[in-house]
Amino acid sequence: MITTKTKLVAILGDHVAHSKSPVMMNAAFQDKGLDYYYIPVDVAADDFGDVVRGISKMNFAGFTITMPYKLEIMKYLDEIDPVAEVIGAVNTVKITDKYMKGYNTDGEGFVRGIERDGKVKIQESTFFIIGAGGVARAISAVLASRHPRMVYIANRTFSKAEELCRKINEKIYDCCVPLPLDQEGQRYIPMVNVVINGSNIGMKPYEKESPVDVSLIHGNQLVMDVIYQPAKTILLQVAEEKGCQIINGENMLVYQGEIAYHHWTGIDPDIAVMKRALEVSRE
Ligand code: NAP
């Protein structure tokens, strides 16, 4: 039953009709008996500022921001968490008495999956990240904050990989090496413990492609993808055939939901309930 007392939470974006966050978060709110409700809201670019200002004045605990507003939102906030500042994007906002604070949970969400499900000890491991866009930036910044042995960042546009590595090495921890996403750059793949696809390659319209030469993957590696539609990208399919442990992007969705839930409610959700809600939504 939704009343004027119900705390609202929204996902704001351009096309959020297919977002799985509402089903996952509402199941987790209900499970803990919280009077919270999560709604998807499509927002046109011209209306974004008005929508955010309006939300700040209503009974919202906060909201999630998705494409294409993760940068735009920053100018409306009262405070930005330092991790989000380094990443340069905000995807979660907490509202307390009209005061809006922005966070970035993409990287922390992904890295929790590496630690909890991949059972990887980050300080003892080396990583190869494909991509230097928003999500890859978030993952590599949080990974660096855990002091890994080495993080190779390979991107189609090499200058973006260079810029990202320079920033992380200066501001967080000196562990990143930029690479081009060509044959020369990819020769580092067999040497790492964890391979992470943080690019769009593997989802539509690139669902028949792998971002790297899959013959370089070997069975002792953990292979992860930020993509969850399809559930197994070509990269993950081949890695699984080779005996690798694989983790898709749904993990990141769940763990970043866990972090956001804590910001909005002050308590932790039951992860199993969130995973189950996603499973049911697929059936
Ligand atoms: P983005 O900022 O646009 O970055 C895209 C990245 O992919 C860039 O590094 C880009 O390289 C690379 N790329 C794009 N097309 C390419 C091509 N044809 N060949 C080689 N590289 C290519 O996007 P993003 O926000 O980081 O999102 C990346 C992925 O994360 C998307 O698939 C998105 O669905 C997924 N995602 C997942 C979650 C989750 O919860 N699991 C959350 C958010 C996003 P250049 O720099 O050279 O352009």
mmCIF file of all heavy atoms in Angstrom, residues 157-203:
data_model
loop_
_atom_site.group_PDB
_atom_site.id
_atom_site.type_symbol
_atom_site.label_atom_id
_atom_site.label_comp_id
_atom_site.label_asym_id
_atom_site.label_seq_id
_atom_site.Cartn_x
_atom_site.Cartn_y
_atom_site.Cartn_z
ATOM 1 N N THR A 157 40.421 3.478 -28.083
ATOM 2 C CA THR A 157 41.034 4.809 -28.164
ATOM 3 C C THR A 157 42.118 4.856 -27.086
ATOM 4 O O THR A 157 41.830 5.039 -25.899
ATOM 5 C CB THR A 157 39.968 5.904 -27.920
ATOM 6 O OG1 THR A 157 38.853 5.640 -28.761
ATOM 7 C CG2 THR A 157 40.519 7.290 -28.201
ATOM 8 N N PHE A 158 43.362 4.672 -27.514
ATOM 9 C CA PHE A 158 44.469 4.508 -26.570
ATOM 10 C C PHE A 158 44.622 5.721 -25.645
ATOM 11 O O PHE A 158 44.905 5.584 -24.459
ATOM 12 C CB PHE A 158 45.759 4.240 -27.345
ATOM 13 C CG PHE A 158 46.970 4.098 -26.475
ATOM 14 C CD1 PHE A 158 47.027 3.115 -25.490
ATOM 15 C CD2 PHE A 158 48.054 4.954 -26.619
ATOM 16 C CE1 PHE A 158 48.136 2.981 -24.673
ATOM 17 C CE2 PHE A 158 49.171 4.827 -25.809
ATOM 18 C CZ PHE A 158 49.204 3.835 -24.826
ATOM 19 N N SER A 159 44.385 6.930 -26.194
ATOM 20 C CA SER A 159 44.587 8.147 -25.390
ATOM 21 C C SER A 159 43.694 8.136 -24.141
ATOM 22 O O SER A 159 44.071 8.654 -23.094
ATOM 23 C CB SER A 159 44.318 9.402 -26.223
ATOM 24 O OG SER A 159 43.003 9.353 -26.725
ATOM 25 N N LYS A 160 42.507 7.521 -24.257
ATOM 26 C CA LYS A 160 41.608 7.478 -23.084
ATOM 27 C C LYS A 160 42.161 6.534 -22.023
ATOM 28 O O LYS A 160 42.042 6.798 -20.824
ATOM 29 C CB LYS A 160 40.212 7.021 -23.511
ATOM 30 C CG LYS A 160 39.443 8.065 -24.283
ATOM 31 C CD LYS A 160 37.969 7.682 -24.290
ATOM 32 C CE LYS A 160 37.231 8.339 -25.420
ATOM 33 N NZ LYS A 160 35.955 7.705 -25.718
ATOM 34 N N ALA A 161 42.785 5.446 -22.460
ATOM 35 C CA ALA A 161 43.417 4.521 -21.499
ATOM 36 C C ALA A 161 44.585 5.225 -20.813
ATOM 37 O O ALA A 161 44.771 5.111 -19.597
ATOM 38 C CB ALA A 161 43.891 3.260 -22.216
ATOM 39 N N GLU A 162 45.350 5.982 -21.579
ATOM 40 C CA GLU A 162 46.501 6.715 -21.015
ATOM 41 C C GLU A 162 46.048 7.718 -19.967
ATOM 42 O O GLU A 162 46.609 7.803 -18.879
ATOM 43 C CB GLU A 162 47.214 7.483 -22.134
ATOM 44 C CG GLU A 162 48.133 6.637 -22.972
ATOM 45 C CD GLU A 162 48.887 7.526 -23.951
ATOM 46 O OE1 GLU A 162 48.228 8.319 -24.665
ATOM 47 O OE2 GLU A 162 50.119 7.432 -24.012
ATOM 48 N N GLU A 163 45.006 8.479 -20.316
ATOM 49 C CA GLU A 163 44.483 9.520 -19.425
ATOM 50 C C GLU A 163 43.960 8.904 -18.115
ATOM 51 O O GLU A 163 44.227 9.389 -17.016
ATOM 52 C CB GLU A 163 43.373 10.279 -20.172
ATOM 53 C CG GLU A 163 42.565 11.274 -19.373
ATOM 54 C CD GLU A 163 43.414 12.400 -18.793
ATOM 55 O OE1 GLU A 163 44.560 12.577 -19.238
ATOM 56 O OE2 GLU A 163 42.927 13.069 -17.854
ATOM 57 N N LEU A 164 43.239 7.793 -18.266
ATOM 58 C CA LEU A 164 42.673 7.115 -17.091
ATOM 59 C C LEU A 164 43.789 6.596 -16.179
ATOM 60 O O LEU A 164 43.760 6.781 -14.964
ATOM 61 C CB LEU A 164 41.766 5.958 -17.557
ATOM 62 C CG LEU A 164 41.190 5.051 -16.480
ATOM 63 C CD1 LEU A 164 40.339 5.847 -15.496
ATOM 64 C CD2 LEU A 164 40.334 3.945 -17.117
ATOM 65 N N CYS A 165 44.786 5.949 -16.773
ATOM 66 C CA CYS A 165 45.893 5.395 -15.972
ATOM 67 C C CYS A 165 46.668 6.512 -15.267
ATOM 68 O O CYS A 165 47.023 6.384 -14.092
ATOM 69 C CB CYS A 165 46.846 4.590 -16.860
ATOM 70 S SG CYS A 165 46.112 3.060 -17.432
ATOM 71 N N ARG A 166 46.889 7.604 -15.972
ATOM 72 C CA ARG A 166 47.633 8.728 -15.373
ATOM 73 C C ARG A 166 46.891 9.228 -14.129
ATOM 74 O O ARG A 166 47.477 9.404 -13.057
ATOM 75 C CB ARG A 166 47.773 9.860 -16.404
ATOM 76 C CG ARG A 166 48.727 10.964 -16.009
ATOM 77 C CD ARG A 166 48.692 12.135 -16.980
ATOM 78 N NE ARG A 166 47.355 12.682 -17.195
ATOM 79 C CZ ARG A 166 46.676 13.404 -16.318
ATOM 80 N NH1 ARG A 166 47.209 13.695 -15.147
ATOM 81 N NH2 ARG A 166 45.462 13.856 -16.591
ATOM 82 N N LYS A 167 45.586 9.402 -14.276
ATOM 83 C CA LYS A 167 44.771 9.931 -13.167
ATOM 84 C C LYS A 167 44.790 8.976 -11.965
ATOM 85 O O LYS A 167 44.986 9.394 -10.825
ATOM 86 C CB LYS A 167 43.333 10.102 -13.668
ATOM 87 C CG LYS A 167 42.557 11.161 -12.965
ATOM 88 C CD LYS A 167 41.308 11.466 -13.787
ATOM 89 C CE LYS A 167 40.251 12.159 -12.965
ATOM 90 N NZ LYS A 167 39.005 12.348 -13.659
ATOM 91 N N ILE A 168 44.584 7.680 -12.243
ATOM 92 C CA ILE A 168 44.541 6.705 -11.139
ATOM 93 C C ILE A 168 45.917 6.596 -10.476
ATOM 94 O O ILE A 168 46.023 6.603 -9.248
ATOM 95 C CB ILE A 168 44.071 5.324 -11.641
ATOM 96 C CG1 ILE A 168 42.606 5.404 -12.055
ATOM 97 C CG2 ILE A 168 44.268 4.260 -10.557
ATOM 98 C CD1 ILE A 168 42.048 4.138 -12.644
ATOM 99 N N ASN A 169 46.958 6.510 -11.292
ATOM 100 C CA ASN A 169 48.305 6.359 -10.732
ATOM 101 C C ASN A 169 48.684 7.552 -9.850
ATOM 102 O O ASN A 169 49.336 7.404 -8.823
ATOM 103 C CB ASN A 169 49.337 6.185 -11.851
ATOM 104 C CG ASN A 169 49.190 4.830 -12.532
ATOM 105 O OD1 ASN A 169 48.529 3.934 -12.003
ATOM 106 N ND2 ASN A 169 49.759 4.686 -13.711
ATOM 107 N N GLU A 170 48.250 8.747 -10.259
ATOM 108 C CA GLU A 170 48.549 9.960 -9.485
ATOM 109 C C GLU A 170 47.693 10.073 -8.235
ATOM 110 O O GLU A 170 48.169 10.404 -7.163
ATOM 111 C CB GLU A 170 48.267 11.199 -10.351
ATOM 112 C CG GLU A 170 49.458 11.647 -11.176
ATOM 113 C CD GLU A 170 49.078 12.805 -12.085
ATOM 114 O OE1 GLU A 170 48.186 13.620 -11.726
ATOM 115 O OE2 GLU A 170 49.650 12.861 -13.169
ATOM 116 N N LYS A 171 46.394 9.801 -8.400
ATOM 117 C CA LYS A 171 45.450 10.146 -7.313
ATOM 118 C C LYS A 171 45.095 8.980 -6.401
ATOM 119 O O LYS A 171 44.655 9.205 -5.280
ATOM 120 C CB LYS A 171 44.149 10.696 -7.911
ATOM 121 C CG LYS A 171 44.345 11.989 -8.638
ATOM 122 C CD LYS A 171 43.028 12.698 -8.824
ATOM 123 C CE LYS A 171 43.283 14.076 -9.390
ATOM 124 N NZ LYS A 171 42.125 14.870 -9.586
ATOM 125 N N ILE A 172 45.237 7.739 -6.895
ATOM 126 C CA ILE A 172 44.770 6.615 -6.064
ATOM 127 C C ILE A 172 45.917 5.679 -5.696
ATOM 128 O O ILE A 172 46.296 5.578 -4.533
ATOM 129 C CB ILE A 172 43.627 5.839 -6.763
ATOM 130 C CG1 ILE A 172 42.478 6.805 -7.118
ATOM 131 C CG2 ILE A 172 43.098 4.719 -5.840
ATOM 132 C CD1 ILE A 172 41.323 6.195 -7.859
ATOM 133 N N TYR A 173 46.481 5.009 -6.675
ATOM 134 C CA TYR A 173 47.562 4.056 -6.383
ATOM 135 C C TYR A 173 48.261 3.735 -7.708
ATOM 136 O O TYR A 173 47.590 3.515 -8.728
ATOM 137 C CB TYR A 173 46.963 2.778 -5.769
ATOM 138 C CG TYR A 173 47.978 1.717 -5.404
ATOM 139 C CD1 TYR A 173 48.945 1.950 -4.424
ATOM 140 C CD2 TYR A 173 47.957 0.475 -6.039
ATOM 141 C CE1 TYR A 173 49.861 0.965 -4.092
ATOM 142 C CE2 TYR A 173 48.870 -0.518 -5.708
ATOM 143 C CZ TYR A 173 49.824 -0.261 -4.729
ATOM 144 O OH TYR A 173 50.726 -1.241 -4.406
ATOM 145 N N ASP A 174 49.567 3.692 -7.678
ATOM 146 C CA ASP A 174 50.331 3.535 -8.915
ATOM 147 C C ASP A 174 50.378 2.062 -9.330
ATOM 148 O O ASP A 174 51.267 1.322 -8.920
ATOM 149 C CB ASP A 174 51.752 4.088 -8.670
ATOM 150 C CG ASP A 174 52.532 4.191 -9.963
ATOM 151 O OD1 ASP A 174 51.984 3.818 -11.025
ATOM 152 O OD2 ASP A 174 53.683 4.638 -9.910
ATOM 153 N N CYS A 175 49.391 1.648 -10.134
ATOM 154 C CA CYS A 175 49.310 0.231 -10.522
ATOM 155 C C CYS A 175 48.825 0.046 -11.950
ATOM 156 O O CYS A 175 48.734 -1.081 -12.439
ATOM 157 C CB CYS A 175 48.373 -0.514 -9.565
ATOM 158 S SG CYS A 175 46.696 0.130 -9.606
ATOM 159 N N CYS A 176 48.482 1.128 -12.651
ATOM 160 C CA CYS A 176 47.821 0.987 -13.962
ATOM 161 C C CYS A 176 48.782 1.205 -15.129
ATOM 162 O O CYS A 176 49.614 2.121 -15.105
ATOM 163 C CB CYS A 176 46.675 1.985 -14.079
ATOM 164 S SG CYS A 176 45.302 1.601 -13.001
ATOM 165 N N VAL A 177 48.618 0.363 -16.149
ATOM 166 C CA VAL A 177 49.429 0.450 -17.361
ATOM 167 C C VAL A 177 48.477 0.534 -18.557
ATOM 168 O O VAL A 177 47.653 -0.363 -18.751
ATOM 169 C CB VAL A 177 50.314 -0.814 -17.516
ATOM 170 C CG1 VAL A 177 51.099 -0.763 -18.818
ATOM 171 C CG2 VAL A 177 51.232 -0.972 -16.322
ATOM 172 N N PRO A 178 48.564 1.623 -19.350
ATOM 173 C CA PRO A 178 47.662 1.730 -20.512
ATOM 174 C C PRO A 178 48.149 0.889 -21.683
ATOM 175 O O PRO A 178 49.362 0.795 -21.914
ATOM 176 C CB PRO A 178 47.735 3.220 -20.859
ATOM 177 C CG PRO A 178 49.085 3.659 -20.401
ATOM 178 C CD PRO A 178 49.465 2.790 -19.231
ATOM 179 N N LEU A 179 47.194 0.303 -22.414
ATOM 180 C CA LEU A 179 47.537 -0.500 -23.592
ATOM 181 C C LEU A 179 46.560 -0.195 -24.722
ATOM 182 O O LEU A 179 45.396 0.109 -24.451
ATOM 183 C CB LEU A 179 47.417 -1.994 -23.268
ATOM 184 C CG LEU A 179 48.348 -2.597 -22.223
ATOM 185 C CD1 LEU A 179 47.915 -4.021 -21.904
ATOM 186 C CD2 LEU A 179 49.798 -2.568 -22.702
ATOM 187 N N PRO A 180 47.017 -0.337 -25.963
ATOM 188 C CA PRO A 180 46.053 -0.271 -27.062
ATOM 189 C C PRO A 180 45.299 -1.609 -27.105
ATOM 190 O O PRO A 180 45.826 -2.632 -26.640
ATOM 191 C CB PRO A 180 46.940 -0.107 -28.296
ATOM 192 C CG PRO A 180 48.252 -0.707 -27.904
ATOM 193 C CD PRO A 180 48.391 -0.544 -26.416
ATOM 194 N N LEU A 181 44.091 -1.601 -27.663
ATOM 195 C CA LEU A 181 43.319 -2.848 -27.693
ATOM 196 C C LEU A 181 43.641 -3.618 -28.982
ATOM 197 O O LEU A 181 42.760 -4.131 -29.654
ATOM 198 C CB LEU A 181 41.817 -2.525 -27.603
ATOM 199 C CG LEU A 181 40.851 -3.683 -27.396
ATOM 200 C CD1 LEU A 181 41.144 -4.466 -26.139
ATOM 201 C CD2 LEU A 181 39.414 -3.197 -27.396
ATOM 202 N N ASP A 182 44.917 -3.706 -29.334
ATOM 203 C CA ASP A 182 45.291 -4.435 -30.545
ATOM 204 C C ASP A 182 46.087 -5.683 -30.145
ATOM 205 O O ASP A 182 46.191 -6.015 -28.960
ATOM 206 C CB ASP A 182 46.103 -3.517 -31.485
ATOM 207 C CG ASP A 182 47.342 -2.960 -30.792
ATOM 208 O OD1 ASP A 182 47.699 -3.461 -29.691
ATOM 209 O OD2 ASP A 182 47.962 -2.038 -31.332
ATOM 210 N N GLN A 183 46.670 -6.333 -31.147
ATOM 211 C CA GLN A 183 47.424 -7.570 -30.901
ATOM 212 C C GLN A 183 48.543 -7.357 -29.879
ATOM 213 O O GLN A 183 48.757 -8.175 -28.990
ATOM 214 C CB GLN A 183 48.026 -8.014 -32.223
ATOM 215 C CG GLN A 183 47.958 -9.492 -32.428
ATOM 216 C CD GLN A 183 48.617 -9.866 -33.750
ATOM 217 O OE1 GLN A 183 48.937 -9.013 -34.592
ATOM 218 N NE2 GLN A 183 48.839 -11.142 -33.940
ATOM 219 N N GLU A 184 49.212 -6.210 -30.012
ATOM 220 C CA GLU A 184 50.330 -5.879 -29.113
ATOM 221 C C GLU A 184 49.841 -5.747 -27.668
ATOM 222 O O GLU A 184 50.426 -6.323 -26.744
ATOM 223 C CB GLU A 184 50.966 -4.559 -29.620
ATOM 224 C CG GLU A 184 52.091 -3.989 -28.798
ATOM 225 C CD GLU A 184 53.299 -4.922 -28.722
ATOM 226 O OE1 GLU A 184 53.417 -5.850 -29.539
ATOM 227 O OE2 GLU A 184 54.108 -4.716 -27.786
ATOM 228 N N GLY A 185 48.743 -5.019 -27.484
ATOM 229 C CA GLY A 185 48.201 -4.833 -26.137
ATOM 230 C C GLY A 185 47.672 -6.139 -25.563
ATOM 231 O O GLY A 185 47.852 -6.439 -24.377
ATOM 232 N N GLN A 186 47.041 -6.937 -26.413
ATOM 233 C CA GLN A 186 46.397 -8.165 -25.929
ATOM 234 C C GLN A 186 47.384 -9.256 -25.519
ATOM 235 O O GLN A 186 47.012 -10.233 -24.882
ATOM 236 C CB GLN A 186 45.448 -8.705 -27.004
ATOM 237 C CG GLN A 186 44.241 -7.816 -27.211
ATOM 238 C CD GLN A 186 43.244 -8.419 -28.180
ATOM 239 O OE1 GLN A 186 43.095 -9.631 -28.279
ATOM 240 N NE2 GLN A 186 42.552 -7.564 -28.911
ATOM 241 N N ARG A 187 48.658 -9.082 -25.851
ATOM 242 C CA ARG A 187 49.605 -10.150 -25.492
ATOM 243 C C ARG A 187 49.820 -10.238 -23.970
ATOM 244 O O ARG A 187 50.391 -11.185 -23.478
ATOM 245 C CB ARG A 187 50.920 -10.021 -26.270
ATOM 246 C CG ARG A 187 51.793 -8.893 -25.870
ATOM 247 C CD ARG A 187 52.932 -8.693 -26.862
ATOM 248 N NE ARG A 187 53.651 -7.486 -26.506
ATOM 249 C CZ ARG A 187 54.652 -7.444 -25.631
ATOM 250 N NH1 ARG A 187 55.080 -8.530 -25.065
ATOM 251 N NH2 ARG A 187 55.231 -6.301 -25.330
ATOM 252 N N TYR A 188 49.305 -9.243 -23.223
ATOM 253 C CA TYR A 188 49.409 -9.302 -21.752
ATOM 254 C C TYR A 188 48.309 -10.177 -21.133
ATOM 255 O O TYR A 188 48.366 -10.517 -19.955
ATOM 256 C CB TYR A 188 49.336 -7.894 -21.144
ATOM 257 C CG TYR A 188 50.557 -7.068 -21.466
ATOM 258 C CD1 TYR A 188 50.639 -6.354 -22.668
ATOM 259 C CD2 TYR A 188 51.644 -7.026 -20.602
ATOM 260 C CE1 TYR A 188 51.769 -5.618 -22.987
ATOM 261 C CE2 TYR A 188 52.782 -6.294 -20.907
ATOM 262 C CZ TYR A 188 52.842 -5.597 -22.111
ATOM 263 O OH TYR A 188 53.964 -4.877 -22.423
ATOM 264 N N ILE A 189 47.303 -10.532 -21.929
ATOM 265 C CA ILE A 189 46.153 -11.282 -21.379
ATOM 266 C C ILE A 189 46.560 -12.589 -20.691
ATOM 267 O O ILE A 189 46.125 -12.859 -19.568
ATOM 268 C CB ILE A 189 45.080 -11.520 -22.474
ATOM 269 C CG1 ILE A 189 44.406 -10.190 -22.817
ATOM 270 C CG2 ILE A 189 44.032 -12.551 -22.028
ATOM 271 C CD1 ILE A 189 43.408 -10.256 -23.959
ATOM 272 N N PRO A 190 47.402 -13.425 -21.318
ATOM 273 C CA PRO A 190 47.727 -14.706 -20.666
ATOM 274 C C PRO A 190 48.450 -14.544 -19.327
ATOM 275 O O PRO A 190 48.470 -15.463 -18.517
ATOM 276 C CB PRO A 190 48.648 -15.394 -21.686
ATOM 277 C CG PRO A 190 48.399 -14.705 -22.977
ATOM 278 C CD PRO A 190 48.027 -13.307 -22.642
ATOM 279 N N MET A 191 49.018 -13.360 -19.061
ATOM 280 C CA MET A 191 49.827 -13.173 -17.846
ATOM 281 C C MET A 191 48.996 -12.782 -16.624
ATOM 282 O O MET A 191 49.531 -12.714 -15.515
ATOM 283 C CB MET A 191 50.867 -12.067 -18.071
ATOM 284 C CG MET A 191 51.796 -12.332 -19.234
ATOM 285 S SD MET A 191 52.793 -10.850 -19.515
ATOM 286 C CE MET A 191 53.182 -11.041 -21.255
ATOM 287 N N VAL A 192 47.713 -12.436 -16.806
ATOM 288 C CA VAL A 192 46.944 -11.904 -15.661
ATOM 289 C C VAL A 192 46.073 -12.983 -15.009
ATOM 290 O O VAL A 192 45.818 -14.038 -15.586
ATOM 291 C CB VAL A 192 46.043 -10.713 -16.091
ATOM 292 C CG1 VAL A 192 46.869 -9.603 -16.687
ATOM 293 C CG2 VAL A 192 44.933 -11.165 -17.037
ATOM 294 N N ASN A 193 45.613 -12.658 -13.782
ATOM 295 C CA ASN A 193 44.713 -13.571 -13.063
ATOM 296 C C ASN A 193 43.255 -13.344 -13.449
ATOM 297 O O ASN A 193 42.454 -14.272 -13.455
ATOM 298 C CB ASN A 193 44.825 -13.366 -11.542
ATOM 299 C CG ASN A 193 46.249 -13.479 -11.061
ATOM 300 O OD1 ASN A 193 46.885 -12.475 -10.759
ATOM 301 N ND2 ASN A 193 46.760 -14.696 -11.022
ATOM 302 N N VAL A 194 42.911 -12.059 -13.733
ATOM 303 C CA VAL A 194 41.496 -11.721 -13.972
ATOM 304 C C VAL A 194 41.376 -10.874 -15.243
ATOM 305 O O VAL A 194 42.087 -9.879 -15.395
ATOM 306 C CB VAL A 194 40.907 -10.926 -12.775
ATOM 307 C CG1 VAL A 194 39.408 -10.671 -12.979
ATOM 308 C CG2 VAL A 194 41.145 -11.650 -11.454
ATOM 309 N N VAL A 195 40.473 -11.290 -16.137
ATOM 310 C CA VAL A 195 40.182 -10.518 -17.355
ATOM 311 C C VAL A 195 38.777 -9.935 -17.209
ATOM 312 O O VAL A 195 37.836 -10.660 -16.870
ATOM 313 C CB VAL A 195 40.245 -11.417 -18.612
ATOM 314 C CG1 VAL A 195 39.878 -10.621 -19.861
ATOM 315 C CG2 VAL A 195 41.628 -12.047 -18.764
ATOM 316 N N ILE A 196 38.649 -8.623 -17.446
ATOM 317 C CA ILE A 196 37.352 -7.952 -17.250
ATOM 318 C C ILE A 196 36.960 -7.207 -18.521
ATOM 319 O O ILE A 196 37.711 -6.341 -18.996
ATOM 320 C CB ILE A 196 37.444 -6.919 -16.093
ATOM 321 C CG1 ILE A 196 37.768 -7.628 -14.775
ATOM 322 C CG2 ILE A 196 36.144 -6.123 -15.984
ATOM 323 C CD1 ILE A 196 38.161 -6.681 -13.652
ATOM 324 N N ASN A 197 35.790 -7.540 -19.073
ATOM 325 C CA ASN A 197 35.300 -6.728 -20.181
ATOM 326 C C ASN A 197 34.434 -5.604 -19.645
ATOM 327 O O ASN A 197 33.362 -5.834 -19.087
ATOM 328 C CB ASN A 197 34.472 -7.569 -21.160
ATOM 329 C CG ASN A 197 33.907 -6.697 -22.279
ATOM 330 O OD1 ASN A 197 34.573 -5.727 -22.708
ATOM 331 N ND2 ASN A 197 32.716 -6.999 -22.744
ATOM 332 N N GLY A 198 34.911 -4.361 -19.839
ATOM 333 C CA GLY A 198 34.148 -3.189 -19.416
ATOM 334 C C GLY A 198 33.687 -2.386 -20.622
ATOM 335 O O GLY A 198 33.325 -1.224 -20.497
ATOM 336 N N SER A 199 33.708 -3.021 -21.807
ATOM 337 C CA SER A 199 33.295 -2.322 -23.036
ATOM 338 C C SER A 199 31.908 -2.794 -23.477
ATOM 339 O O SER A 199 31.311 -3.661 -22.845
ATOM 340 C CB SER A 199 34.308 -2.599 -24.154
ATOM 341 O OG SER A 199 34.065 -3.866 -24.730
ATOM 342 N N ASN A 200 31.432 -2.228 -24.573
ATOM 343 C CA ASN A 200 30.110 -2.628 -25.109
ATOM 344 C C ASN A 200 30.184 -3.884 -25.953
ATOM 345 O O ASN A 200 29.148 -4.404 -26.374
ATOM 346 C CB ASN A 200 29.582 -1.535 -26.042
ATOM 347 C CG ASN A 200 29.346 -0.239 -25.321
ATOM 348 O OD1 ASN A 200 29.274 -0.220 -24.100
ATOM 349 N ND2 ASN A 200 29.240 0.838 -26.057
ATOM 350 N N ILE A 201 31.385 -4.368 -26.245
ATOM 351 C CA ILE A 201 31.512 -5.493 -27.166
ATOM 352 C C ILE A 201 31.043 -6.776 -26.486
ATOM 353 O O ILE A 201 31.612 -7.203 -25.490
ATOM 354 C CB ILE A 201 32.970 -5.654 -27.664
ATOM 355 C CG1 ILE A 201 33.455 -4.358 -28.291
ATOM 356 C CG2 ILE A 201 33.080 -6.803 -28.664
ATOM 357 C CD1 ILE A 201 32.665 -3.894 -29.485
ATOM 358 N N GLY A 202 29.985 -7.360 -27.070
ATOM 359 C CA GLY A 202 29.367 -8.554 -26.482
ATOM 360 C C GLY A 202 27.864 -8.355 -26.355
ATOM 361 O O GLY A 202 27.101 -9.294 -26.272
ATOM 362 N N MET A 203 27.449 -7.062 -26.315
ATOM 363 C CA MET A 203 26.001 -6.793 -26.297
ATOM 364 C C MET A 203 25.586 -6.212 -27.645
ATOM 365 O O MET A 203 26.431 -5.823 -28.446
ATOM 366 C CB MET A 203 25.636 -5.843 -25.146
ATOM 367 C CG MET A 203 26.151 -4.438 -25.302
ATOM 368 S SD MET A 203 25.692 -3.394 -23.904
ATOM 369 C CE MET A 203 23.983 -3.092 -24.269
#
